[in-house]
Amino acid sequence: QVHLVESGGGLVQAGDSLRLSCAASGLTFSNYPMGWFRQAPGKEREFVAAITETGINTYYADSVKGRFTISRDNAKNTVYLQMNSLKPEDTAVYKCAAEITGRVAAGVYDHWGQGTQVTVSS
């Protein structure tokens, strides 16, 4: 059974940094591109960042480009999201997921984690 467990969220001030982690089990992690998504109260879930299975290629939403960095450690079955220069509008529940077709462009994500809350105060 696949499990993705996010951690690292918290309450920070605008301009601060956080590093989220997503630990995976029950799948051959190095076979899957991974993605981070977020959902704020009353809003649709939105894509934040994705990384190919090797970690060579990364993709970002325009709203986080230049501030967030996605990375992965296949030896640890973990994907990370380094978030710098946080803004109040980054406040959301952040979740990771595996892209199950093996192609980031397909955008078919499954095996969602439970999420970690990020709250940025102004």
Side-chain angles (χ1 to χ4, degrees), residues 32-73:
Y32 293 89
M34 297 295 295
W36 283 98
F37 294 77
R38 66 186 182 186
Q39 187 165 17
K43 293 188 176 181
E44 296 286 318
R45 184 175 64 204
E46 66 171 340
F47 168 80
V48 175
I51 188 167
T52 53
E53 55 270 42
T54 61
I56 291 176
N57 294 309
T58 56
Y59 307 87
Y60 297 93
D62 287 343
S63 58
V64 307
K65 203 171 293 184
R67 299 188 298 122
F68 291 11
T69 302
I70 188 171
S71 62
R72 67 190 295 159
D73 185 337

Side-chain angles (χ1 to χ4, degrees), residues 8-12 16-20 81-84 86 118-119:
L11 172 62
V12 297
D16 286 350
S17 298
L18 279 175
R19 188 195 195 201
L20 306 184
L81 186 67
Q82 177 67 42
M83 305 187 296
N84 298 330
L86 282 161
V118 172
T119 303

